[in-house]
Amino acid sequence: MASLKEKIGYALGDAASGGITWKIMSIAFPLYFTNVFGLTFADAAALMLIARLFDVVTDPIMGSLADRTQSRFGTYRPWLIFGAVPFGLIFALLLYTPEITGENAYLLKRIYVYLFYLLMMVMYTAVNVPYGSLLGVMTEDDNEKNQFSAFRMVGAYAMGFITLLSFPYLQKMVGGSEQHQYAVLGAGFGILAAAMTLACGLLTKERIKPKRAEKFSFKQYGDLFRNKPWVYMTLTAICTNFFNGFRYAAAGYMITYCLGGDITVGRLIINYTVFMAFGEVTCMIFGAISPAFTKWVGSKRKAFIWSAVICALTSVLYFFLPMDAHYIWLLVGVSMLTSVGAGLYSPLLWSMYADVADYATEKNGTSSTGLIFSSGTMAQKLGGAISGSLIALLLGIAGLVSSTDMTTGETIVTITNEESVKTMVWALFSLFPAVIAAIMGLLAWAYPIKK
């Protein structure tokens, strides 16, 4: 039996990657790149797409490397222990805007952000793929896997809530320009993410020795596509990250352009990070009860389907709410209802990947746990890449234009069609995710493992 300390230690891993780095990358990066760093909407779309599609190649390679790692720290833990510091450092550098002026200023800034975004994706892969794979070697007990998964999601959502809720207050405390604020917060959150990742590697244990395929073979990649549960699970995972990606990336534009900017209610500042923080705490609560909900409905597959239905219906409802800051609590409330579904399915995703890994080991005779879990991380990045890129691209088409003043280096954002931009942003936060949630439910219904 795993101890409470180990479960908390495992939770710290996703608190770092999911609750800090990925949360900021999903929610803040689209707005940061266009309105603070100064990329055009077209360049921001290209950056997020190219950098994360790069991971379609690196994630499976990382999974294969992790599966073959042998050290005194185990198979997957050394990647967390030794990757923690560069992981936090590169994240901090990505949120730093270099002060460059002159006729080549925009080109040099673009090279800088492309370089560090690609490096960030590499480091995220090097840490997160082994982290996910840990679940397959810490326990053989299915109920305990669900518990570890629930702890993981609670850690991610609890830290996500803290990160998002504190963000505007920390910005205010830091002061200065927005570029300065993001640079300081990037350094602080980068140090915290590194410390949590290191703690996760040191506090967890690998109890199951993988059945290794010592020699590299491309056959393992072919085996993946012959693994029917893996195909359905990966398509479902891509959909979950489309769903989250649209909502998180659109939130900043929604508050800015649909609701007139930050909203002050008493002493509470509701900006886009705080708005989504209410959803984080909802996901944390319902992520914790997901194992009980799964037992109640009878299987992981059924629980996933019901979660997708909740997400689809509440997302459609949101589109018909008034686009008015006076109704902020109604908007928050319906958004939180959507997060009920997201909270319920999030732990299920990784627990079901563990089932797929067990199925593959039984079928093929050797472990491909790291490779299979890497596809989960790949799906996360692919979904986030395409959704984030589509948002930047569609907003540019709708009438948002971002540019950089070549003399001062300042970012200039203009709107050519206000109503078109507002409608597009509102739909990106509601109708687009609703369609994705419906597809997600259909894929879960067809998923062949009935556990």
Side-chain angles (χ1 to χ4, degrees):
M1 288 288 291
S3 67
L4 177 62
K5 182 176 76 171
E6 185 178 3
K7 291 173 183 175
I8 292 173
Y10 186 66
L12 288 175
D14 214 16
S17 58
I20 297 178
T21 58
W22 192 259
K23 203 64 64 181
I24 292 175
M25 288 164 69
S26 299
I27 297 178
F29 272 20
L31 194 68
Y32 165 73
F33 286 142
T34 57
N35 289 36
V36 179
F37 195 88
L39 291 181
T40 65
F41 280 86
D43 277 337
L47 169 64
M48 289 183 282
L49 183 61
I50 292 170
R52 293 185 185 178
L53 286 180
F54 175 65
D55 288 317
V56 174
V57 177
T58 60
D59 279 22
I61 293 173
M62 183 64 235
S64 296
L65 284 173
D67 282 336
R68 286 161 178 76
T69 300
Q70 298 184 60
S71 76
R72 65 188 184 92
F73 296 104
T75 299
Y76 304 113
R77 290 170 58 237
W79 293 94
L80 299 172
I81 294 169
F82 297 105
V85 171
F87 177 57
L89 177 62
I90 292 171
F91 177 75
L93 289 170
L94 187 52
L95 280 166
Y96 172 74
T97 303
E99 296 182 6
I100 305 172
T101 58
E103 62 181 58
N104 292 321
Y106 186 77
L107 174 62
L108 294 173
K109 284 175 69 177
R110 187 164 54 180
I111 291 171
Y112 177 92
V113 76
Y114 266 78
L115 172 64
F116 282 102
Y117 201 34
L118 285 170
L119 286 174
M120 184 62 205
M121 289 297 97
V122 169
M123 282 313 306
Y124 190 91
T125 297
V127 167
N128 208 249
V129 168
Y131 170 72
S133 304
L134 264 177
L135 185 60
V137 296
M138 288 193 296
T139 179
E140 291 182 316
D141 184 81
D142 199 51
N143 287 328
E144 202 164 44
K145 285 179 184 177
N146 287 343
Q147 291 172 21
F148 269 114
S149 240
F151 267 83
R152 171 183 182 166
M153 290 300 107
V154 170
Y157 285 125
M159 194 63 225
F161 173 73
I162 293 169
T163 301
L164 300 181
L165 186 66
S166 66
F167 208 89
Y169 299 97
L170 292 172
Q171 282 183 292
K172 191 174 181 180
M173 184 175 70
V174 171
S177 67
E178 282 192 291
Q179 292 179 344
H180 174 69
Q181 292 167 10
Y182 275 92
V184 173
L185 292 183
F189 280 119
I191 291 169
L192 187 57
M196 287 180 168
T197 302
L198 179 61
C200 175
L202 295 174
L203 292 174
T204 50
K205 296 179 182 178
E206 297 186 23
R207 295 176 177 83
I208 302 167
K209 189 173 182 180
K211 298 176 182 177
R212 302 178 190 277
E214 298 295 348
K215 294 182 179 179
F216 176 82
S217 170
F218 284 105
K219 179 180 179 296
Q220 61 187 324
Y221 296 101
D223 288 340
L224 275 184
F225 290 94
R226 287 188 288 270
N227 184 333
K228 190 176 178 180
W230 175 83
V231 172
Y232 278 102
M233 197 68 254
T234 298
L235 290 174
T236 303
I238 290 172
C239 284
T240 64
N241 289 290
F242 271 141
F243 179 81
N244 291 328
F246 277 118
R247 295 181 75 242
Y248 285 131
Y253 297 106
M254 181 182 68
I255 294 291
T256 302
Y257 299 110
C258 297
L259 301 180
D262 296 357
I263 302 160
T264 302
V265 182
R267 294 185 177 181
L268 179 65
I269 302 171
I270 302 180
N271 75 339
Y272 67 102
T273 63
V274 174
F275 184 90
M276 297 305 290
F278 290 105
E280 291 298 296
V281 74
T282 305
C283 285
M284 179 184 70
I285 293 168
F286 283 88
I289 67 172
S290 181
F293 177 73
T294 302
K295 282 187 178 181
W296 180 63
V297 299
S299 72
K300 298 174 188 178
R301 173 177 160 272
K302 289 179 181 178
F304 210 107
I305 293 170
W306 279 111
S307 302
V309 169
I310 293 170
C311 290
L313 293 178
T314 55
S315 294
V316 170
L317 174 62
Y318 193 94
F319 182 77
F320 296 99
L321 298 180
M323 194 185 297
D324 190 326
H326 290 98
Y327 293 89
I328 186 61
W329 291 119
L330 176 62
L331 297 171
V332 167
V334 175
S335 180
M336 289 174 70
L337 288 177
T338 305
S339 295
V340 169
L344 289 173
Y345 74 60
S346 294
L348 291 169
L349 188 70
W350 297 107
S351 182
M352 291 163 80
Y353 260 118
D355 295 337
V356 172
D358 291 343
Y359 173 87
T361 299
E362 183 179 336
K363 181 180 179 182
N364 301 321
T366 57
S367 174
S368 55
T369 301
L371 181 60
I372 286 172
F373 272 90
S374 74
S375 64
T377 308
M378 178 189 71
Q380 179 184 35
K381 293 172 182 175
L382 183 62
I386 297 176
S387 59
S389 296
L390 276 176
I391 283 176
L393 184 63
L394 291 171
L395 288 179
I397 293 171
L400 265 182
V401 180
S402 176
S403 60
T404 299
D405 187 304
M406 296 303 178
T407 303
T408 65
E410 293 181 354
T411 301
I412 303 168
V413 179
T414 56
I415 301 175
T416 60
N417 189 330
E418 187 174 356
E419 286 305 310
S420 174
V421 168
K422 285 183 176 181
T423 302
M424 179 61 76
V425 170
W426 208 252
L428 285 168
F429 191 81
S430 56
L431 294 185
F432 279 72
V435 172
I436 296 300
I439 296 171
M440 186 168 69
L442 290 172
L443 287 167
W445 177 78
Y447 177 67
I449 296 179
K450 311 301 181 184
K451 292 171 76 175

